[in-house]
Amino acid sequence: MTDRPRLTALAERLPATVPFVGPEAQERARGQPFRARIGANESGFGPSPRVVQAMAAAAPEMWKYCDPENHDLRVAVARHLGVKAENVVVGEGIDGLLSLTVRLHVSEGTPVVTSLGAYPTFNFHVVGFGGRIVAVPYANDREDLDALLEAVKAEGAPLVYLSNPDNPMGTWWEADEVEAFAAALPASTLLVLDEAYGETAPEGTLPPIDVSRPNVLRLRTFSKAYGLAGLRCGYAVGDAALISSFEKIRSHYGVNRMAQAAGLAALADQGYLATAVGRIAAARARIADIAHANGLAPLPSATNFVAIDCGGDGAFALKVMQALLAHDVFVRKPMAPGLDRCIRISCGPDADLDIFEEELPGALAEARGN
Amino acid sequence: MTDRPRLTALAERLPATVPFVGPEAQERARGQPFRARIGANESGFGPSPRVVQAMAAAAPEMWKYCDPENHDLRVAVARHLGVKAENVVVGEGIDGLLSLTVRLHVSEGTPVVTSLGAYPTFNFHVVGFGGRIVAVPYANDREDLDALLEAVKAEGAPLVYLSNPDNPMGTWWEADEVEAFAAALPASTLLVLDEAYGETAPEGTLPPIDVSRPNVLRLRTFSKAYGLAGLRCGYAVGDAALISSFEKIRSHYGVNRMAQAAGLAALADQGYLATAVGRIAAARARIADIAHANGLAPLPSATNFVAIDCGGDGAFALKVMQALLAHDVFVRKPMAPGLDRCIRISCGPDADLDIFEEELPGALAEARGN
């Protein structure tokens, strides 16, 4: 008998943690808002006006519970991708779907392979369910497919995480390379293929959807190119048996009613998506230009952000980031060894990039101690 | 090595399940919409017009991630209740918070005490994390506090669930009875006190908030009296150490941006809440009148619904419900032995109750085989 309710042994040893500190928390700490919000890989171009209308129209209907089957959105996603509804599960963003995927496959001590410096929220879920992270370093700023494969085999890992295009570096593999990686995996290893940035990638980056392969799960979201990060709505696509296993544990009312309505409207407005993707590409080019103009090396990017090599070590890039923050420009940076020489700038409207352009020279000078 | 990725032993044995079939799914199966939606304990009176405005205003901002700390809403809830922010965790509805609470305390084989016929989603989470449900029958249509306490002690259960007011019967215990129950629990047992219907209960039903007690967690929601079931936003209140343990596992971006904005606006409009509570009380009285007029016995209710004793067994009440559904009136019913003699009617505007009033006599006649 203890003097208070006891947590599970696993919960007891988990740290209380926040994978990211939000810009709002930073603004509260600073006592001052940022002038440019280009740090969280959001799309400052926002959602389609039709989606905004759909959300406003859904507002008075919010007294109703959401459809626990997410039926209309699930069917629309399936149609969009040319698969059956049984191959799609809609969830609370990729974060929510990653949590469920991990929970289905990971128990105490299960090895899970990912890249050192890749998406921290995935790691949060793995650790949260008692798994053991096996982290493979990036090679040439890309997730290292050969080394990931080797680690999977050495560990007998049931899960391997790959983001393509990659966050936080913005790099990518061609579709055939990803397919070769998937084909080389043991049948007992599930490839968790995070394609959050799929819509902004060059043609030929996303392998064709093939739901006949039971060990590949594709994850996509309305958070990035669709401009709806605050919505918490994404979907996973895969083999029907795998997808049906989510029914065992998912929070059936988890995707809120407006998220379903907005997701449906977003998917229906592919014209806006194309426009947004064009704006994001233009912003990427401008961020690269700004970097070059300051003597820095932008990395090629297939995402809605650009990692900029600041030309020094991690400590230097950290100083650059901190100087930008102090100048009211919200940006972030990779933290893993080797990747940490970069800062990471999200695409956004010209007004935001104007501020970045204006503040970067000063931030660099401060970081250099001039 | 298997020919496909293997689920955990626990996930493998879980059934694929849906705790509730939504009215939308029923409408799809019927090929026809319901004329009255009074089955899911939603509030047909809807949210405050100010909340609807706040949602529409938030729509264009949905490109931003939500504040992962839910800071503004958390602080507002704390202020509303007269506690500190550290005593409040905001989550994806009570469902989401129940899942986290269970995950923190339940592992394979952990006994968990609840009432037979109480909230199925709680059981879904308990089973989903490997727990073992110990279900205590209701007594006189109320959750049986003495028997719950006895079961907790006999099983050494770390969790006991109590909803007050109760769903699905609408009954309630007075605050001092709940307090006596809490005080009698072992210190190592957490009382998960679901107060989803707290706002519609008579004064004296909710014990004063006392966050000094480490083994009581209070759960509340914007789904019911606030008229925002589709929002997925609720909160838990308790001892700071217990509340901080949610940081170990919660989905930090889980509460979507609009839900935070809407929750804040809802909390700020207590005038509307009072109006809604008045309308709900009037609807309760009208549902009771309709029941009486048809020779049925409505149960006293502290919630936004009324359980009606149909005067027969479970099979008869099931027929009444099915006849109502066939007449386009969406209602539900309790399923546990003893409780199953009732149907359950949610409060709603007069237009909905008019339809119920119109259709009930025919439904009863059909159920009686007349």
Side-chain angles (χ1 to χ4, degrees):
Chain A
M1 204 77 96
T2 58
D3 67 338
R4 54 185 304 135
R6 203 160 38 192
L7 304 187
T8 66
L10 170 57
E12 195 57 61
R13 72 168 192 268
L14 292 175
T17 184
V18 179
F20 296 100
V21 178
E24 292 84 359
Q26 296 186 45
E27 288 175 334
R28 286 189 292 269
R30 294 153 33 92
Q32 195 177 327
F34 288 115
R35 287 188 296 141
R37 181 172 167 133
I38 48 175
N41 302 352
E42 300 159 333
S43 174
F45 302 109
S48 155
R50 290 189 202 166
V51 172
V52 173
Q53 280 168 24
M55 286 192 277
E61 298 297 306
M62 291 293 281
W63 62 272
K64 299 176 187 170
Y65 278 101
C66 33
D67 175 9
E69 299 179 16
N70 306 307
H71 177 269
D72 294 353
L73 181 54
R74 188 184 193 195
V75 166
V77 166
R79 189 170 302 142
H80 179 66
L81 298 175
V83 298
K84 295 183 181 164
E86 67 186 24
N87 299 114
V88 175
V89 55
V90 175
E92 299 97 316
I94 288 180
D95 283 3
L97 292 161
L98 286 175
S99 175
L100 295 173
T101 305
V102 168
R103 184 175 156 198
L104 283 171
H105 295 92
V106 172
S107 51
E108 292 265 356
T110 304
V112 174
V113 174
T114 184
S115 297
L116 182 62
Y119 194 46
T121 302
F122 178 71
N123 297 6
F124 173 74
H125 294 311
V126 171
V127 171
F129 287 103
R132 179 169 56 83
I133 298 282
V134 179
V136 172
Y138 281 59
N140 300 318
D141 298 322
R142 295 207 288 184
E143 300 188 31
D144 185 339
L145 297 182
D146 292 341
L148 287 168
L149 182 59
E150 211 170 295
V152 163
K153 289 181 173 168
E155 298 280 352
L159 286 187
V160 56
Y161 174 88
L162 178 71
S163 63
N164 192 55
D166 170 75
N167 176 24
M169 302 308 278
T171 53
W172 69 101
W173 291 98
E174 302 289 328
D176 57 352
E177 295 163 315
V178 175
E179 288 202 305
F181 175 70
L185 286 173
S188 56
T189 299
L190 180 66
L191 170 57
V192 180
L193 184 53
D194 182 343
E195 298 178 327
Y197 301 97
E199 289 86 358
T200 57
E203 214 168 319
T205 303
L206 303 183
I209 301 270
D210 174 8
V211 293
S212 73
R213 195 178 284 241
N215 69 335
V216 177
L217 186 69
R218 317 275 290 262
L219 297 156
R220 301 203 182 158
T221 181
F222 293 102
S223 294
K224 303 300 176 184
Y226 286 101
L228 289 162
L231 196 65
R232 316 319 300 133
C233 189
Y235 50 93
V237 187
D239 165 67
L242 172 62
I243 293 297
S244 77
S245 65
F246 285 86
E247 293 302 317
K248 294 166 176 263
I249 59 166
R250 75 184 180 89
S251 184
H252 292 86
Y253 289 86
V255 181
N256 97 2
R257 189 171 188 92
M258 191 165 297
Q260 294 185 37
L264 204 56
L267 208 59
D269 195 351
Q270 292 292 311
Y272 178 81
L273 179 67
T275 304
V277 166
R279 288 177 182 158
I280 288 167
R284 258 183 340 225
R286 185 168 173 209
I287 294 168
D289 288 347
I290 295 169
H292 282 305
N294 284 273
L296 308 181
L299 273 61
S301 170
T303 63
N304 72 348
F305 61 85
V306 178
I308 299 176
D309 184 340
C310 291
D313 60 5
F316 177 69
L318 184 65
K319 281 186 200 162
V320 177
M321 180 185 82
Q322 287 167 338
L324 285 167
L325 292 171
H327 289 256
D328 303 330
V329 182
F330 170 61
V331 301
R332 285 198 176 120
K333 70 180 295 301
M335 298 305 286
L339 316 185
D340 62 352
R341 72 190 194 283
C342 296
I343 57 172
R344 198 191 62 179
I345 314 298
S346 304
C347 293
D350 275 328
D352 291 328
L353 299 187
D354 288 347
I355 294 169
F356 174 62
E357 184 168 33
E358 202 176 285
E359 298 296 346
L360 181 59
L364 285 167
E366 281 175 43
R368 286 174 186 136
N370 295 346
Chain B
M1 204 76 95
T2 58
D3 67 339
R4 55 183 306 136
R6 203 162 36 193
L7 303 187
T8 65
L10 170 58
E12 194 59 61
R13 71 167 192 268
L14 292 175
T17 184
V18 179
F20 295 101
V21 178
E24 293 84 0
Q26 295 186 45
E27 288 176 333
R28 287 189 292 270
R30 293 154 33 93
Q32 195 176 327
F34 288 114
R35 288 187 296 142
R37 182 172 165 133
I38 47 176
N41 302 351
E42 300 159 332
S43 173
F45 303 108
S48 155
R50 291 189 202 165
V51 173
V52 173
Q53 280 169 24
M55 287 194 276
E61 297 298 305
M62 290 292 282
W63 62 271
K64 299 177 188 171
Y65 278 102
C66 33
D67 175 9
E69 299 179 18
N70 306 309
H71 177 270
D72 294 353
L73 181 54
R74 189 185 191 195
V75 166
V77 166
R79 189 169 304 143
H80 179 67
L81 298 175
V83 298
K84 295 184 181 163
E86 68 186 23
N87 297 114
V88 175
V89 55
V90 175
E92 300 96 317
I94 288 180
D95 283 3
L97 292 162
L98 286 176
S99 175
L100 296 173
T101 305
V102 168
R103 184 174 157 199
L104 283 171
H105 295 92
V106 171
S107 51
E108 292 265 356
T110 304
V112 174
V113 174
T114 183
S115 298
L116 182 63
Y119 195 45
T121 302
F122 178 71
N123 297 6
F124 172 74
H125 295 310
V126 171
V127 171
F129 287 103
R132 178 169 56 83
I133 299 282
V134 178
V136 172
Y138 281 59
N140 300 317
D141 298 322
R142 294 206 288 185
E143 301 188 30
D144 185 341
L145 297 182
D146 292 340
L148 288 167
L149 181 60
E150 209 170 297
V152 162
K153 290 182 173 168
E155 298 280 352
L159 286 187
V160 56
Y161 175 87
L162 178 71
S163 63
N164 192 56
D166 169 76
N167 176 23
M169 302 308 278
T171 53
W172 68 102
W173 291 98
E174 301 290 327
D176 57 352
E177 295 163 314
V178 175
E179 289 203 305
F181 175 70
L185 286 173
S188 56
T189 299
L190 180 66
L191 171 57
V192 180
L193 184 54
D194 182 343
E195 298 178 325
Y197 301 97
E199 289 86 359
T200 57
E203 214 167 319
T205 303
L206 304 184
I209 300 270
D210 173 8
V211 293
S212 72
R213 195 177 284 240
N215 69 334
V216 177
L217 185 70
R218 316 277 289 261
L219 298 156
R220 302 206 181 156
T221 181
F222 293 102
S223 294
K224 304 299 177 184
Y226 287 101
L228 289 162
L231 196 65
R232 315 319 300 132
C233 189
Y235 50 93
V237 186
D239 164 67
L242 172 62
I243 293 298
S244 78
S245 65
F246 286 85
E247 293 302 317
K248 295 166 175 261
I249 58 167
R250 74 184 180 90
S251 186
H252 292 87
Y253 289 87
V255 181
N256 98 1
R257 189 171 188 91
M258 192 165 297
Q260 295 185 37
L264 204 55
L267 208 59
D269 195 351
Q270 292 293 312
Y272 179 81
L273 178 68
T275 305
V277 166
R279 287 177 183 159
I280 288 166
R284 261 187 333 229
R286 184 167 174 210
I287 294 167
D289 287 346
I290 296 170
H292 283 305
N294 284 271
L296 308 181
L299 273 61
S301 170
T303 63
N304 73 348
F305 60 85
V306 178
I308 299 177
D309 183 341
C310 291
D313 60 4
F316 177 70
L318 185 64
K319 281 186 199 163
V320 176
M321 179 185 81
Q322 286 168 338
L324 285 167
L325 291 171
H327 289 256
D328 303 331
V329 182
F330 169 61
V331 301
R332 284 196 176 123
K333 68 181 295 303
M335 298 304 285
L339 315 185
D340 62 352
R341 71 189 195 285
C342 296
I343 57 172
R344 198 191 62 179
I345 314 299
S346 303
C347 293
D350 276 328
D352 291 328
L353 299 187
D354 288 348
I355 294 169
F356 173 63
E357 184 168 32
E358 201 176 286
E359 297 296 345
L360 181 59
L364 285 167
E366 281 176 43
R368 288 173 184 137
N370 295 348

